[in-house]
Amino acid sequence: MFARLLVINAALTLAVGQTPPAKPDPNRVPIDFTRQVRPILSQHCFACHGPDREARKAELCFVTIEDATKMREDGAAIVPGNRLSSRLWHRINDDESPMPPAEAHNALTKEQVETLGRWLDEGASYAPHWAYVAPIAVAAPRVRETGWPRGDIDRHVLARLEAEGLAHAADADPVTLMRRLTLDLSGLPPSAVQVDRFVTAYEAEPQAAYSALLDRLLASHHYGERMATPWLDLVRYADTVGYHGDQEHNVWPYREWVIDAFNDNMPFDRFTIEQLAGDLLPEPTQDQLVATGYNRLLQTTHEGGLQLAEYRAIYLADRVRNASAVWMGATLGCAQCHDHKYDPYSAKDFYAFGAFFADIDDEEHLRNPYGGLNSSPTKRVPEMRVVTDEVRRRRDAEQRVRAAAETELAAVMQALPAQQMAWEAAMRKKIDAGTVRQIVWVDDALDTGGEVTGSWSFVGDGPRPHSGKKTRVQRSKGLIQHYTKNTKRRIKVAAGDVFYAWVHLGKKSSPEAVMLQFFTNGDWIH
């Protein structure tokens, strides 16, 4: 009975002017499901026969090959390799009750009908969404014009051109070639001087000149700026918060991080991890924390009367929509309100994905929309202080100088005890030998002929100095200075003269530093 129905259907088809499919042409490019068939099914069929179970008609689903080829009472909707045996083919060609229904005002064109027919004859192959298909290496096709291609990409392009009966464009002249390459890789036009230099080099050695230009452009800082531009558009980068007040948003270090990532040729997996979760890495660097500024690239309200629950939901939805579109190439945002009607996503998937961003700290910002560093209304919390590359280079240079000085000081300090012992021994010899010396004054009762400043308290007991009659004991919690000014007594310092001070430091109360000062030649010597 089923076979008889097929024969009748086929006869009806032929009667209204349809002709049997021609024998497949082995030289014709096969129908591509992703590029040619899926868009037709999505636009014309999925509303009634798609992923949405509640809207599905006749329990027929075209989302997977298993559902589409399932045997039904009136036959299978799709019979791979045979359009005449496929109910789909007959329904889209039914004049009285076509699919899609006439009342849907969504009729297929003749070209779309023939595309579906060819697809059925070629085996009705299905393919998952392109975003979930891992790239595979494909051998370069053979081409008739073998002298034009310079690489595999040229061969792929030329093969398609030859299949469509088209000829390739002529090679660009050097000026046009340089302008195209410079604009493409730097986003800026070349200067007249650069053009002249390239044309001269190109006329002498085309391939070498082109390679040198390519290397120069890739090494330019402008390359990262050019590549960052579409990425920053994708992640909705902005310097202001976007809502009615449109306050400033201090996120420019993230922009610089993206530019540097392209210039440094950062691997895409690291590029992804550091933006989505750089702060969760072990001991994250400043750059990795800056990279997570991606999670702040959304509109935020700074209105005093905001509703916390409302904006938590708004922020979650914005992040899910953006991350799924940018990294997954998916329209997960449709599932914010309902199960996706055309792709295999549910509302549960949408909000489960939102949990990925649940630990982002928006609470302080939402509770205190005008807060931030220095409580400025142009800042939004939480924020972090960032050291720029220039400051970082200066800091690193200073740290190297400090490390060298500390190494030098350590060597001096290591040698100091022995030098101290030798110096003390030499001084004792001079003192014991009674060498002539002039004692100008010491910190005792000796009159200096000047005005004493500070508290000079002398005691007679305790350790004795080598000269002088009394000892001053100083106690203080902070810095204390004792000195004389307008001193009338003067001395001349000759070569070989030695100054020394005798200081006894208590074991439990030693000061951090002791300084001896002389005023000479109009300046203080410490």
Side-chain angles (χ1 to χ4, degrees):
M1 182 64 181
F2 177 64
R4 184 177 299 174
L5 286 173
L6 290 180
V7 172
I8 294 174
N9 283 328
L12 289 173
T13 301
L14 293 174
V16 295
Q18 295 286 339
T19 58
K23 186 177 181 179
D25 183 357
N27 295 321
R28 187 160 59 176
V29 177
I31 293 294
D32 185 288
F33 175 81
T34 301
R35 294 170 62 90
Q36 296 171 270
V37 177
R38 185 181 175 86
I40 297 175
L41 297 178
S42 295
Q43 181 180 354
H44 298 277
C45 307
F46 279 2
C48 299
H49 306 293
D52 190 348
R53 293 183 178 275
E54 295 183 3
R56 193 174 299 164
K57 303 291 180 61
E59 290 301 317
L60 174 60
C61 179
F62 286 127
V63 174
T64 65
I65 186 66
E66 292 79 13
D67 288 335
T69 57
K70 188 181 298 181
M71 184 57 68
R72 301 158 56 85
E73 290 185 5
D74 56 350
I78 292 177
V79 178
N82 192 332
R83 72 171 77 180
L84 295 181
S85 298
S86 303
R87 291 295 298 156
L88 170 63
W89 175 252
H90 296 290
R91 292 308 305 273
I92 64 178
N93 285 287
D94 191 328
D95 291 333
E96 295 184 1
S97 181
M99 285 293 165
E103 60 267 22
H105 303 288
N106 193 21
L108 295 167
T109 65
K110 292 182 179 179
E111 291 77 11
Q112 289 174 325
V113 170
E114 180 54 27
T115 295
L116 291 175
R118 282 185 55 197
W119 172 63
L120 293 169
D121 289 338
E122 292 173 2
S125 62
Y126 267 71
H129 191 283
W130 64 265
Y132 307 109
V133 178
I136 58 173
V138 178
R142 294 183 178 181
V143 293
R144 293 190 293 273
E145 187 180 349
T146 58
W148 181 77
R150 295 174 181 164
D152 288 348
I153 294 178
D154 287 349
R155 291 184 179 86
H156 282 283
V157 172
L158 184 58
R160 181 60 183 271
L161 292 174
E162 292 178 346
E164 299 291 340
L166 301 174
H168 61 77
D171 289 353
D173 61 87
V175 175
T176 302
L177 183 64
M178 183 187 190
R179 180 177 176 81
R180 288 175 180 171
L181 188 62
T182 306
L183 284 171
D184 191 41
L185 293 183
S186 72
L188 301 169
S191 67
V193 174
Q194 291 172 335
V195 171
D196 292 340
R197 289 176 180 172
F198 176 74
V199 171
T200 301
Y202 191 85
E203 291 174 349
E205 185 59 50
Q207 188 58 46
Y210 183 84
S211 297
L213 174 61
L214 185 62
D215 290 341
R216 179 177 68 80
L217 291 172
L218 291 176
S220 169
H221 185 73
H222 296 310
Y223 168 74
E225 295 172 342
R226 171 70 179 87
M227 297 299 293
T229 299
W231 181 262
L232 294 174
D233 286 341
L234 285 172
V235 298
R236 69 254 192 268
Y237 174 84
D239 289 309
T240 55
V241 302
Y243 280 122
H244 67 286
D246 206 26
Q247 291 88 352
E248 293 180 5
H249 181 189
N250 296 318
V251 75
W252 63 264
Y254 169 81
R255 177 196 64 207
E256 298 303 307
W257 179 89
V258 173
I259 293 172
D260 291 341
F262 280 107
N263 280 326
D264 295 340
N265 199 25
M266 180 182 289
F268 187 71
D269 58 348
R270 180 180 157 201
F271 186 70
T272 296
I273 291 170
E274 293 193 5
Q275 288 182 83
L276 292 176
D279 57 320
L280 302 181
L281 295 173
E283 299 182 3
T285 64
Q286 174 183 280
D287 286 345
Q288 290 168 338
L289 293 175
V290 167
T292 60
Y294 161 75
N295 295 295
R296 298 284 175 197
L297 298 179
L298 73 167
Q299 287 182 289
T300 56
T301 182
H302 290 237
E303 183 183 2
L306 64 87
Q307 299 297 313
L308 298 184
E310 176 187 8
Y311 280 95
R312 288 192 191 106
I314 290 173
Y315 293 177
L316 177 144
D318 185 89
R319 287 174 173 133
V320 171
R321 284 173 172 271
N322 189 260
S324 62
V326 171
W327 272 277
M328 298 168 58
T331 55
L332 186 58
C334 296
Q336 180 180 353
C337 302
H338 51 72
D339 290 350
H340 205 300
K341 294 185 180 298
Y342 308 112
D343 288 323
Y345 304 121
S346 66
K348 182 177 180 180
D349 295 330
F350 182 92
Y351 292 98
F353 193 3
F356 184 83
F357 302 101
D359 62 342
I360 295 177
D361 182 11
D362 287 317
E363 296 307 296
E364 182 63 25
H365 151 66
L366 289 171
R367 290 196 183 94
N368 182 20
Y370 292 100
L373 297 177
N374 302 321
S375 299
S376 170
T378 62
K379 309 288 179 77
R380 70 175 188 178
V381 292
E383 291 187 344
M384 59 176 282
R385 297 191 181 277
V386 174
V387 179
T388 64
D389 290 341
E390 179 182 357
V391 173
R392 191 181 307 173
R393 284 191 292 270
R394 293 204 327 251
R395 182 190 64 188
D396 293 344
E398 291 170 356
Q399 287 178 344
R400 288 192 294 270
V401 171
R402 176 176 177 174
E406 288 177 345
T407 300
E408 182 180 355
L409 180 60
V412 171
M413 295 301 293
Q414 185 175 4
L416 187 59
Q419 295 174 354
Q420 177 77 15
M421 291 178 65
W423 177 82
E424 290 181 359
M427 291 303 297
R428 286 193 182 94
K429 280 187 178 181
K430 288 184 177 180
I431 294 172
D432 294 342
T435 305
V436 176
R437 58 189 182 276
Q438 180 186 13
I439 300 175
V440 182
W441 73 74
V442 291
D443 194 0
D444 60 9
L446 184 63
D447 181 15
T448 63
E451 301 174 16
V452 177
T453 298
S455 175
W456 293 63
S457 176
F458 297 102
V459 295
D461 57 350
R464 306 304 304 163
H466 287 289
S467 62
K469 301 176 180 178
K470 295 185 179 181
T471 303
R472 176 170 62 84
V473 178
Q474 175 64 51
R475 293 183 179 88
S476 173
K477 293 182 179 180
L479 175 66
I480 291 296
Q481 289 183 312
H482 298 280
Y483 58 93
T484 61
K485 60 183 180 179
N486 301 324
T487 305
K488 297 177 181 179
R489 300 181 62 178
R490 299 286 189 269
I491 60 170
K492 291 184 178 180
V493 180
D497 287 350
V498 176
F499 291 91
Y500 73 92
W502 188 92
V503 181
H504 177 80
L505 303 179
K507 292 182 179 181
K508 296 182 180 180
S509 59
S510 296
E512 293 184 5
V514 176
M515 181 168 63
L516 185 63
Q517 298 173 303
F518 296 94
F519 189 79
T520 176
N521 294 331
D523 198 4
W524 284 101
I525 302 299
H526 299 79

